[in-house]
Amino acid sequence: MNHLKFNYDNALNFVGKQDIFKYQEAIDSHFITIRERTGKGNDFLGWTDLPSSVDDTLINRIEAAASRFREKSEVSVVVGIGGSYLGARAVIEALSPHFNLLKKKAGNPVMLFAGNNISEDYLDELLQVLNEKDYTLTVISKSGTTTEPALAFRLLREHLEKKYGKTEAGKRIIAITDREKGALKQLATEKGYETFVVPDDVGGRYSVLTPVGLLPVAIAGFNIRELLNGAQNMAALSATSSNIDKNPVAAYAAVRNALYVKGKTTEIMVNYEPRLFYFTEWWKQLYGESEGKENKGIFPAGVSNTTDLHSMGQYIQEGRRNLFETVLSVENPKHNLTIPTDEANPDKLNYIAGKRIHEVNHMAELGTTLAHVDGGVPNLKVSIPEVSESTMGELIYFYEMACAVSGYLLGINPFDQPGVEAYKRNMFALLGKPGFEKETEAIRRRL
Ligand code: PA5
C-alpha cells in the first residue's frame, strides 16, 4: 500500500492545468523509454528494478555483516562521498533519535561519517574520538579511486591496524566497491576484507537501495526489508500508469517542468522535521547532479523550518521571484508532547496550552505555505504519514523516478556527471599528481 501523497493545488495560481498536462504525451513516452532502457544514459537504469531485484541471499548477507559489526561497535564509521554517502546518511538520520545519548540507550552504535570532506580538523578530531571507542569501518567507493574517501580510509586503516593489529583490523573493515576494478577492490582482495558490490548499472546517486545504503542502514539498526518494501510499493504504483492524474511521479515531474519554463528556476525542498535535513541533502545531490547540465536545470536548494524562517524566510517571502517550494510534510511525529499550562502566563503562551507541539508546527507549516504563495512562490507538497523505513523507501523511489522523468523532459542525460571532473583536474594539477605535468605547469602560471 502507498502512503506518499503529492499535491500541487498551491501551484495552480502560477501554472494552469494545461501547462502541466501538455507534458502528458512526453511523460508517457519517457516512462516507456525508462522501462525499455532506450534513452540517454540507459546503461545506468539498474536502480529502477532495485527494490525487487535485491534478492534474499544478498539481504541475508547484509544483515549478517551488520549484526557482526554491531556486536563489535560502539561507533561505526562510514567512509564515502556523494552518492556513496548521502543516501545512507539520509535514511539513518531520518530514522535515528536526534541525540547520541538516546541512540546509545537503544543499543545502536553511533554512526559517524568520513571521506566526505578534506578537512584536517575533521579527520583529526574523528581520530581522537576513535582512540576512545571500539569501532568498525565501512568504506564505500564505486570507482575505488575518489580522493576524499581514499584519503580518509588511508588514515583510518592505519589507525585501526595500530589499535587492533592487522588481523582484527581486517575483520573490522567492509569494502563496498566495483565487482572487479579499482584500487579499493584490489586493496580489499589483498587484505581479505569482506566486500559488497555496487552494481555496474547503478550510478552513485541512485545507489541507496544497493549495499551502499543498505549495509550502513542495517548497521545503524534499521529494517532494510521494510525500506525495500516501501520502495517496491512506489515502484509498483509507478508501473501501473504514467498518467499525471494517477501517478505522483508523473505529476511532480510535469509540474516542476511547467514551473521551470515560467521562470521558476530554483526549487526549495522544505522540511519541518530536523531529522529530514540529510534527506534534503540527498535530494539536492540527486537533482543537482542529474539535471544541472548543458546550461539547464532547476537549482535544488533546501531549508529546514521553522529554523530557516528566521533566516532564509525573508528571501523566500520577498526576494527574487524565481522560486518554488516543495514541502516534505510529515503528518504524525513519533512522540507525543503537550504544551503545559502556566498560571502566571509570563510568556503569554496559555492560548496554546494543552495543544500538542506538533499542532503548532503544523500551523507554522500551513501559515508559511499560504504566506509564500501570497508572496509569489508556488508550493508543492509531498506528504507521508510518518517517518519510517517504509515511507523512506517510498520517498527514495518517488524522487529517483521523478528525477529520471524530469531530466528526460529537460532533454538532458540524468545519469552522467561530466561537470564534476573539472575541479578534480585542477586539484590534481595543483598537487602535482603524476600524469598531470602539463596541467600543473598551466595552472601554476595562472596563480
Ligand atoms: O553520483 C555520483 O556518481 C557521485 O556523486 C559519486 O557517487 C561520488 O563522486 C563518489 O564516487 P565513488 O563512489 O566512485 O567514490
Side-chain angles (χ1 to χ4, degrees), residues 201-268:
D201 58 357
V202 181
R205 58 190 176 274
Y206 293 84
S207 69
V208 52
L209 300 176
T210 72
V212 170
L214 297 176
L215 180 65
V217 169
I219 295 171
F222 302 109
N223 187 332
I224 55 173
R225 292 174 193 267
E226 280 300 305
L227 184 74
L228 289 163
N229 281 343
Q232 179 51 32
N233 289 342
M234 184 50 67
L237 173 77
S238 199
T240 55
S241 165
S242 53
N243 196 310
I244 292 170
D245 267 341
K246 298 201 176 107
N247 185 337
V249 166
Y252 177 55
V255 178
R256 64 196 298 283
N257 275 277
L259 290 167
Y260 176 64
V261 299
K262 298 253 177 186
K264 304 294 184 189
T265 54
T266 295
E267 177 176 7
I268 305 173

Side-chain angles (χ1 to χ4, degrees), residues 81-84 140-144 146 149 203-205 285 289 417:
I81 195 165
S84 292
I140 310 174
S141 178
K142 186 178 184 197
S143 63
T146 308
R205 58 190 176 274
Q285 188 213 358
E289 213 167 45
Q417 55 284 328

Side-chain angles (χ1 to χ4, degrees), residues 358-380:
H358 183 63
E359 191 176 339
V360 182
N361 202 23
H362 188 53
M363 290 309 132
E365 179 184 320
L366 282 182
T368 306
T369 296
L370 295 177
H372 289 181
V373 169
D374 292 345
V377 180
N379 192 284
L380 315 180

Side-chain angles (χ1 to χ4, degrees), residues 97-98 102 275 332-337 356 358:
H98 289 99
L102 289 181
R275 60 173 75 254
N332 300 296
K334 289 180 196 291
H335 304 287
N336 192 328
L337 198 57
R356 287 183 60 185
H358 183 63

Side-chain angles (χ1 to χ4, degrees), residues 79-86 115 140-150 176-177 184 198 202-207 212 285-286 289-290 415-417 420-421 423-424:
V79 172
I81 195 165
S84 292
Y85 157 59
L86 283 163
I140 310 174
S141 178
K142 186 178 184 197
S143 63
T145 55
T146 308
T147 307
E148 291 89 338
I176 306 180
T177 189
L184 180 57
V198 191
V202 181
R205 58 190 176 274
Y206 293 84
S207 69
V212 170
Q285 188 213 358
L286 180 63
E289 213 167 45
S290 297
F415 307 113
D416 65 359
Q417 55 284 328
V420 300
E421 295 309 314
Y423 98 89
K424 293 184 192 167

